[in-house]
Amino acid sequence: MKALATLLAMLLLLWALPAAAHKPSDSYLALAVEGKHIEGRWDIALRDLDVALGLDADGDGQLTWQEIQDRHGAIAAYALSRLSIAAGGAPCTLVAGPQQVDDHTDGAYTVLPLRGTCAVIPRELTIAYRLFGDTDAQHRGLLRLGEGDNPRTAILGGERPVQTVPLSQAGADGHALAQFVAYLRHGAWHIWIGYDHVLFLVSLLLPAVLVRRDGAWQRVPAFRGAATDVLKTVTAFTVAHSVTLALAALGVLAPPSRWVESAIAASVVVAALNNVWPLVPGPRWAAALIFGLVHGFGFAGVLADLGLPRGALAVSLLGFNLGVELGQLAIVAAVLPAAWLLRDTFAYRRVLLPAGSLAIALVAMVWLGERAFDVKLPGV
Amino acid sequence: MTRKIAVVLALLAWLPSMQAVAAPRTPASGNEVIATLPRQDDGLRALRAAAAAAPADPLPALALARRYVALGRGSADPRYYGQAQAVLAPWWGRPDAPNDVRLLRATLLQNGHQFDEAQAELRHIVGTDPRNAQAWLTLATIQSVQGDVPGAIASCGRLSSLAAQLETFACLAAAGANTGRMRGSEQLLELGLERAGDTAPETRTWVLTMLAELAARRGDKAAAQQRFLTALRVAPTDSYLLGAYADFLLDQGRAADVPALLRAHHRNDALLLRHALALRAMGRHEALAPARAELQARFDAAARRGDAVHLREQARFTLHLLGDARAALALAQRNWRVQKELADTRILLEAGLASRDRAALQPVLRWIRAQGLQDVVVTRLVERAS
C-alpha cells in the first residue's frame, strides 16, 4: 500500500509538474542603493547563458549544478562585462558574489548577488546594459530599483542600451525639466501650506499701504509707493532666504531644526507686533532681510524632508526657490490690492491692522511655545 | 489517505513555478539537474558555423535566421525570433538592407504584433520587387488580421500570378473568412485542396486547419471534426491547430477531451489557457488552481516586459478564469484595436456582454454587420447583445 501511494504521488508529480513557459528572453535585475553602496541580485536564465557560453559541458541537455558551478567565474565575468553602472558621471564598481539558482516561469535562472560602490552618493543611476546583445536581439533586462511599494522600474537593452534611472520620488520622470517642475511645485505648495511663512508675509504686507507719521498711520499717497515698498520687502526676504537655503542644501550650515522653527515663529511674532507697537528700528525691508535668513533654513528642512540629499543638484534647488517665490507672489497679489482698496477705511486702520496683527502674533506665540519647548497644545 | 498525500505532493511540485514563493537557493548536490536545455540538432550547429565563418556574407546568416524563425514557429518559443534578429544584426537597420533581410524583419515585427511597421516593410519589398510572392502573402495575412478585407484581397490578387493555385485560394479564403463570402471561400478552398497534387506540408496544414475552422463556424460539426483530425495527422504538434481544435472541443461541450490533446504543450501560454478552460468546464477546481496561478505568473512576466502580444489570451483568462468582466473588457478592447480575427471579435463580445456595457458593444456589433461575419457562436452572442 505504501509503495502504491509513493508511486501514485510520483506519477502525479510528473503529471502536475508544469512545463516551463515559452517566453522572450529576460533577465531580472533588482538593485537597492544605500548611501554610496549598491546591493542587488541579477537573475539570468541558464538557457540563455548556455547559448552564449556553452554551459552544458557533456552536451546531454541536462544542466547540473556541478556544470554551473564549474563555470561560475566565466558566468560572472560574462555578465559583469555587459553591465555597467555609473552615478554622477563616475562609474561604480560592481562585483558578483557566490551564485545561487531560482525558478521563473520559463525555467531555472542563475542568481548573481551584486555589490557595488559609487564615487558619490547617487541621485540617479546611469545603466549601460548589453547582456546577450549579440545572441538575442530581443533580450531585455527588467530593472527594479529600490524596495518597498514604489520601486523604479525600467526595461533595459534593445535600442536603448544606456538609460538613466532616478532614485528619488521627486525625480521620477527622469529628466531635468520634469525634476525642475516637480520642485517648483513643491516650493509653491510649501508656501501654500506653510502657515508660518504666509502669516509672516501678511504681517509685512498689511502696513505697506500706510505710512507711520507722528505715531499714527497715514495713507500712502500713491499705489506706486506702496508697491515699491512691498517689492523691496519681498525681494529682501527672497535674497536672504535663498542664501541660507542654498547654504543648508549644500551642507555648509545645518542649524538644529527646533531652533530654526522656533526662530521662524518668533519672527512672525515680532513682525506682527511691530505693526501695533513699532519695535524694530529701520525700514521694513531690513527686517525682512534678517528674518528671511531664518526662513531659508526652514525651507531647507522641507527640502530635506522631500528626500533631497545634501549636495543636491542646482536644478532642484532653483526650482524649489522659484516655487517659493511664485507662492509668495500669489499671496502678495491677493493681499496687496485688497489692502490698497481698504486702506482709507476706519475698519482697516483701527481694527483690521491692529487686531489682525495681534491675532497673528498670538497664533505665532503659541507656535513659538510649542516649538521651543517641544510640546503640542490641543486645538492649534 | 493515499490520495491526500498524493495531492499534497502534487501541489508541492507546483511551488517552484509560483513567483510568490520563489527564493534563491543553493542546490545541495552537484549532480542535481537544474535545467533541461532544448535539444538542438546538428543542422543548426552547421548553419551556425557557416554564419560564423563568413560574418560579412548575408547568405549564411539568412539561412540561419530562417531556421531560427522556423524553429520559433514550430515550437512557439519566441526566444528563437530574438536569436534570428541577432544573426541579422549587421544588416538589420541599414536602409540598403537586402529584401530577404527585410522579409524576415517583417515576419518578426508581425510576430511582435507591430503590424503597421511590418506592413511598411512589406510595401517596400513589393515596391522594389513586385514578384516577391512571400511578401504579398505575408502582407495579405497582416491585412486580414487587421480587418482590411479589400487590401488583403488585392494582395492575394498580386499573389495569384506568382504562386500555386492552392496558396492563392488559401490567401483569398483567409481574406474573406470574416465576410459574407465565407461559404464561397470555403468551397473554393476545398476544391483547390482536391486538385492540388504535391503541396508543402505547411501549406496543407494551413489549408486543412482553415477548412476545419470554417466548417465549425457554419455549425457543421461532423465536417469540422473530420477535417481537424485529418490536419492533426499531418501536423500533430502545430500549436495553432491544437489551439483551434481545443476551442472547437470546448464549444462542443467536449472539455474532457482537451487535457489529453494538450498534455505535452503546457509551455505554450495559449494552449495552457485552453487546458485551464477545460479544467474549469469539467469542474476540476483542485487542478485548475495551480494552472491559473501559472498563467497569472506568465501574464505578469509579460507585463513586466511591456509585451502586448498576448492580450487576446489575457482577456480570455481574465474573463473566464478570474471572472473580472470589466478588466477583461478593457483588455479585449485594447486587443481589438490591433487585430480583428474571429477570436478577437468573440472575446470582445463576451466581455462586453458579461460587463453589461452596451456602449462598448456598439462598435463591434456595427463591424460584424458591415462585414457580414458568419459564425454560429458569434451569432448567438450578437442576438444576446441586441
Side-chain angles (χ1 to χ4, degrees):
Chain A
M1 193 61 203
K2 196 164 176 245
L4 182 66
T6 314
L7 183 68
L8 194 60
M10 283 185 63
L11 279 175
L12 264 168
L13 273 170
L14 283 176
W15 183 81
L17 203 65
H22 284 319
K23 76 173 197 46
S25 168
D26 296 315
S27 84
Y28 300 89
L29 180 61
L31 299 176
V33 177
E34 187 65 53
K36 287 183 182 176
H37 299 287
I38 299 176
E39 291 270 349
R41 64 179 269 196
W42 193 5
D43 294 19
I44 306 171
L46 285 165
R47 196 186 143 176
D48 294 332
L49 283 168
D50 179 63
V51 171
L53 296 173
L55 299 181
D56 185 16
D58 56 9
D60 65 349
Q62 304 288 310
L63 196 57
T64 63
W65 177 230
Q66 189 62 51
E67 284 172 324
I68 298 166
Q69 275 181 305
D70 290 346
R71 301 295 300 283
H72 174 60
I75 292 172
Y78 179 83
L80 289 179
S81 69
R82 281 155 177 82
L83 174 72
S84 54
I85 297 178
C92 308
T93 62
L94 216 52
V95 291
Q99 68 182 323
Q100 293 182 291
V101 294
D102 198 356
D103 292 299
H104 289 262
T105 58
D106 60 338
Y109 281 55
T110 187
V111 178
L112 288 179
L114 296 180
R115 262 170 178 266
T117 309
C118 301
V120 296
I121 293 176
R123 281 201 31 74
E124 55 193 22
L125 294 182
T126 299
I127 301 176
Y129 185 95
R130 293 187 175 81
L131 187 69
F132 301 128
D134 42 357
T135 53
D136 185 338
Q138 291 175 10
H139 171 84
R140 297 291 180 268
L142 306 182
L143 172 73
R144 182 190 154 96
L145 179 57
E147 283 159 5
D149 296 333
N150 195 18
R152 304 269 152 269
T153 59
I155 301 169
L156 305 170
E159 270 126 51
R160 295 179 61 206
V162 182
Q163 288 180 45
T164 297
V165 185
L167 289 173
S168 70
Q169 180 65 43
D173 291 334
H175 49 91
L177 182 68
Q179 204 170 322
F180 177 80
V181 171
Y183 276 99
L184 190 89
R185 219 179 274 144
H186 281 308
W189 178 247
H190 179 66
I191 283 298
W192 180 247
I193 62 163
Y195 303 111
D196 41 4
H197 303 296
V198 173
L199 290 188
F200 180 71
L201 262 176
V202 170
S203 301
L204 292 179
L205 290 176
L206 282 177
V209 289
L210 302 169
V211 62
R212 188 176 276 277
R213 232 170 251 140
D214 310 327
W217 290 108
Q218 310 276 320
R219 55 179 293 186
V220 182
F223 183 75
R224 196 191 161 100
T228 310
D229 186 52
V230 167
L231 189 71
K232 275 197 266 181
T233 306
V234 171
T235 307
F237 183 65
T238 296
V239 169
H241 79 61
S242 299
V243 169
T244 43
L245 172 57
L247 286 176
L250 295 174
V252 179
L253 279 173
S257 71
R258 193 165 138 198
W259 293 12
V260 170
E261 294 304 316
S262 304
I264 289 172
S267 75
V268 181
V269 175
V270 172
L273 287 184
N274 193 45
N275 293 342
V276 188
W277 299 287
L279 15 104
V280 183
R284 225 172 1 253
W285 65 261
L289 189 78
I290 293 161
F291 289 132
L293 292 170
V294 180
H295 284 246
F297 285 120
F299 295 139
V302 177
L303 214 48
D305 288 346
L306 289 174
L308 197 75
R310 295 269 155 96
L313 286 176
V315 63
S316 33
L317 198 59
L318 186 67
F320 188 81
N321 236 327
L322 281 178
V324 166
E325 291 333 307
L326 287 176
Q328 283 176 197
L329 284 179
I331 290 165
V332 171
V335 172
L336 190 60
W340 175 258
L341 288 175
L342 296 171
R343 74 195 193 286
D344 274 341
T345 60
F346 178 82
Y348 189 79
R349 288 195 208 179
R350 299 285 164 163
V351 183
L352 195 63
L353 177 61
S357 295
L358 279 175
I360 291 174
L362 194 66
V363 171
M365 268 188 235
V366 174
W367 286 340
L368 178 59
E370 282 178 1
R371 292 173 187 185
F373 302 108
D374 206 10
V375 291
K376 176 82 189 134
L377 296 181
V380 181
Chain B
M1 189 62 200
T2 305
R3 188 173 149 71
K4 252 186 198 160
I5 294 169
V7 168
V8 168
L9 278 172
L11 281 175
L12 280 175
W14 279 95
L15 287 179
S17 73
M18 290 159 70
Q19 296 292 293
V21 292
R25 64 193 173 89
T26 306
S29 148
N31 296 327
E32 187 179 330
V33 174
I34 307 300
T36 303
L37 304 168
R39 268 167 211 252
Q40 278 154 359
D41 65 341
D42 288 339
L44 193 60
R45 207 162 284 167
L47 285 170
R48 272 197 197 134
D57 184 358
L59 288 181
L62 274 164
L64 177 58
R66 281 199 198 100
R67 186 63 197 279
Y68 277 134
V69 169
L71 278 169
R73 277 227 183 88
S75 62
D77 184 346
R79 267 183 167 88
Y80 289 117
Y81 300 127
Q83 291 173 7
Q85 188 180 334
V87 170
L88 296 176
W91 303 275
W92 189 259
R94 285 174 54 169
D96 59 341
N99 275 346
D100 289 340
V101 172
R102 286 180 181 272
L103 191 59
L104 280 174
R105 189 174 144 81
T107 307
L108 294 170
L109 285 167
Q110 178 204 0
N111 237 289
H113 289 202
Q114 290 173 277
F115 295 127
D116 295 338
E117 294 84 349
Q119 273 214 39
E121 201 69 70
L122 291 164
R123 286 187 191 288
H124 183 276
I125 300 172
V126 297
T128 56
D129 175 18
R131 298 197 55 76
N132 192 323
Q134 185 58 53
W136 284 115
L137 181 58
T138 310
L139 183 58
T141 308
I142 293 174
Q143 287 166 320
S144 299
V145 168
Q146 291 193 295
D148 174 12
V149 177
I153 289 174
S155 298
C156 294
R158 301 300 294 262
L159 181 70
S160 62
S161 60
L162 307 168
Q165 202 180 45
L166 183 62
E167 266 111 13
T168 307
F169 287 178
C171 184
L172 285 168
N178 286 338
T179 70
R181 288 192 292 272
M182 184 183 97
R183 183 73 185 114
S185 302
E186 189 189 338
Q187 283 163 341
L188 191 67
L189 194 55
E190 218 179 345
L191 193 71
L193 187 63
E194 265 171 37
R195 282 169 37 177
D198 275 348
T199 37
E202 308 92 73
T203 312
R204 218 178 146 70
T205 311
W206 179 34
V207 168
L208 280 167
T209 308
M210 209 187 313
L211 280 170
E213 286 182 300
L214 292 172
R217 290 173 60 168
R218 282 190 289 115
D220 186 345
K221 295 173 208 168
Q225 168 74 12
Q226 183 248 319
R227 286 169 179 175
F228 271 125
L229 292 182
T230 314
L232 278 168
R233 272 198 296 278
V234 179
T237 60
D238 184 286
S239 52
Y240 181 86
L241 171 58
L242 288 168
Y245 186 43
D247 283 342
F248 172 73
L249 293 174
L250 287 168
D251 283 343
Q252 298 303 313
R254 291 168 58 193
D257 294 341
V258 172
L261 179 74
L262 303 180
R263 179 158 294 153
H265 302 278
H266 293 183
R267 286 170 183 275
N268 183 323
D269 299 352
L271 298 183
L272 180 60
L273 172 69
R274 268 77 163 194
H275 172 72
L277 289 170
L279 294 178
R280 178 177 166 275
M282 291 187 283
R284 285 178 47 192
H285 299 293
E286 79 288 358
L288 175 61
R292 192 167 44 202
E294 172 69 21
L295 278 166
Q296 183 69 62
R298 293 188 193 181
F299 288 127
D300 290 347
R304 285 186 70 179
R305 190 186 159 92
D307 264 358
V309 177
H310 297 313
L311 284 178
R312 178 204 290 173
E313 282 77 21
Q314 201 178 349
R316 276 181 86 172
F317 172 75
T318 307
L319 181 62
H320 298 301
L321 295 173
L322 298 184
D324 186 344
R326 298 289 333 168
L329 178 60
L331 288 163
Q333 284 175 317
R334 242 179 92 199
N335 174 58
W336 205 68
R337 278 196 284 275
V338 181
Q339 51 180 3
K340 295 185 174 57
E341 291 185 278
L342 177 70
D344 307 303
T345 306
R346 183 170 156 178
I347 184 60
L348 180 51
L349 280 173
E350 289 173 341
L353 280 166
S355 44
R356 298 196 176 79
D357 189 335
R358 299 192 67 81
L361 285 167
Q362 291 320 306
V364 63
L365 290 175
R366 268 201 304 276
W367 189 81
I368 290 168
R369 270 197 300 277
Q371 296 279 312
L373 184 141
Q374 300 169 38
D375 178 78
V376 284
V377 178
V378 164
T379 305
R380 273 204 303 276
L381 293 170
V382 168
E383 276 164 15
R384 275 179 57 203
S386 27

